[in-house]
Amino acid sequence: MPQPKVKLVVTGDDFGYCERRNQGIVDLFKAGGISNVSLLVNAVSAEHAAELAKRNHIPIGLHANLSEGLPVSQDLTGSTLLNKDGFFHGKMGFREVLQSGQLKMSEVEAELRAQVNRFCELVGHMPYHMDGHQHVHVLPEVREVFAQVLSDFGITYTRVPIEPGLKFCTFLPSHLRDFNAQVEKDALESIEVFHRHGIRWPDVYLGLSTMGKNMSVSNLKRALGFTLEASLDDGVTSQLIQSNDAATDSYRLVTAELMVHPGYPSQPHQGGCGEGPDDFSQSADRLHELNTLRDPLVLNYYRQQGILLCAFKDF
């Protein structure tokens, strides 16, 4: 490949969720369709995932989880993070408890630190990056604690989920557009916090518009087009730009992350983070993502357009 125009991290989220998910992600890594993974350390197959990552030399970071399943910390009995059954409150439940003002940030911090330590036990080194399952890391109050934990552990990179062109994706259902809009608002308000703690992230984030059945070769090309055009002065993405000295006379090298959720579908009652697998995990959407990402049309497109797949540790 000639001098690349884009360094693209393709991150397989939810590594560790179940053994079938893990194997699908590894198969896709070997096929050149992803270049990085994000590990759920409270998932039932986290140890299996960590061993696979070591064996296959897969770059790996931490997918911090405050919303699904059981906690890692042993000191959270009766915690505001947990429901009456001892599980996290769920994707929307976590947000509702946070909004009510009942969530103790000291407990959020304790759980995040416990998850970093568990990651190190499983993998043998610090995470190369750390993001939040279901984007909890950019929520109000949580982002301050999250940033402090990253700073304390010396974890340099995170994810800021603001996707260029997302507002034009009218093919997404209304409930998803509403959720994504709130995620982007929270992410935008996280920028100052992350900057203050010396945390970095790629220039461009992609993935909200390409999840599950919405992933296709044409939709990936549409999303990646924003990166290739380097349209980073739209009033939102321009605030994400950080200094990058690598450039040529005709273009500036852009860094980007594409969030994906590939894998072989979970079997009923197998996988999850202590409560069993969710619907998305058991659906054909996971396999659809896997097959799309290893499609020769996608892999050839990367080469033709000067997109080099890499990992956060390569930045």
Side-chain angles (χ1 to χ4, degrees):
M1 179 188 290
Q3 180 71 21
K5 299 175 184 176
V6 176
K7 282 189 173 182
L8 176 67
V9 180
V10 183
T11 301
D13 278 3
D14 303 340
F15 198 43
Y17 200 84
C18 70
E19 292 194 8
R20 284 175 57 80
R21 172 78 50 77
N22 295 347
Q23 192 58 56
I25 286 174
V26 171
D27 289 350
L28 184 57
F29 176 79
K30 289 180 176 178
I34 61 169
S35 56
N36 187 65
V37 294
S38 206
L39 178 67
L40 287 166
V41 295
N42 74 325
V44 296
S45 297
E47 189 169 344
H48 175 257
E51 288 303 315
L52 287 174
K54 292 176 193 174
R55 192 182 312 156
N56 294 281
H57 307 288
I58 304 175
I60 187 168
L62 174 58
H63 203 42
N65 185 3
L66 301 173
S67 57
E68 182 179 356
L70 292 165
V72 171
S73 174
Q74 302 297 306
D75 303 320
L76 292 180
T77 304
S79 167
T80 60
L81 273 173
L82 309 178
N83 63 22
K84 59 181 176 58
D85 298 315
F87 297 110
F88 290 133
H89 294 288
K91 177 179 175 180
M92 301 312 297
F94 179 84
R95 287 165 165 81
E96 290 165 4
V97 175
L98 175 64
Q99 195 168 20
S100 74
Q102 297 174 14
L103 205 61
K104 291 183 179 178
M105 288 302 114
S106 60
E107 295 170 351
V108 169
E109 180 177 355
E111 178 60 17
L112 290 175
R113 291 183 183 278
Q115 291 192 19
V116 174
N117 289 326
R118 178 59 177 154
F119 179 98
C120 294
E121 290 172 4
L122 289 169
V123 178
H125 61 73
M126 292 296 293
Y128 293 125
H129 63 97
M130 181 168 162
D131 54 48
H133 184 48
Q134 299 168 340
H135 310 293
V136 296
H137 66 300
V138 295
L139 289 168
E141 296 184 77
V142 176
R143 54 187 170 234
E144 291 278 358
V145 175
F146 180 85
Q148 186 61 58
V149 169
L150 264 67
S151 178
D152 289 349
F153 279 102
I155 302 169
T156 309
Y157 279 94
T158 192
R159 170 185 293 167
V160 176
I162 299 176
E163 180 172 338
L166 186 65
K167 61 186 176 183
F168 303 116
C169 296
T170 55
F171 56 84
L172 297 174
S174 59
H175 74 277
L176 196 52
R177 290 202 304 271
D178 291 344
F179 179 76
N180 289 345
Q182 186 60 53
V183 167
E184 287 199 318
K185 178 179 181 294
D186 293 331
L188 189 58
E189 293 172 357
S190 299
I191 290 173
E192 184 276 327
V193 177
F194 293 160
H195 267 313
R196 183 164 19 99
H197 286 84
I199 298 164
R200 303 187 67 191
W201 55 92
D203 296 325
V204 179
Y205 164 85
L206 305 167
L208 291 174
S209 67
T210 54
M211 283 182 61
K213 63 185 178 183
N214 291 312
M215 182 176 285
S216 65
V217 175
S218 60
N219 201 19
L220 283 173
K221 288 181 178 180
R222 176 202 56 79
L224 288 164
F226 288 98
T227 304
L228 288 164
E229 293 164 10
S231 23
L232 305 175
D233 58 349
D234 58 4
V236 173
T237 319
S238 61
Q239 298 187 51
L240 303 179
I241 298 301
Q242 297 158 83
S243 61
N244 187 333
D245 296 330
T248 71
D249 292 338
S250 57
Y251 60 84
R252 173 187 175 281
L253 179 63
V254 175
T255 58
E257 183 189 17
L258 171 62
M259 174 193 76
V260 298
H261 299 83
Y264 301 124
S266 302
Q267 300 288 0
H269 313 299
Q270 293 183 10
C273 300
E275 297 176 280
D278 60 16
D279 291 341
F280 184 27
S281 179
Q282 298 176 78
S283 77
D285 288 349
R286 297 282 183 171
L287 182 58
H288 172 71
E289 286 200 23
L290 190 156
N291 286 332
T292 305
L293 289 163
R294 66 183 175 188
D295 190 315
L297 291 173
V298 173
L299 302 181
N300 288 334
Y301 180 76
Y302 293 150
R303 287 188 284 270
Q304 292 164 1
Q305 297 297 326
I307 299 172
L308 176 67
L309 266 60
C310 64
F312 284 96
K313 70 184 185 68
D314 300 320
F315 287 169

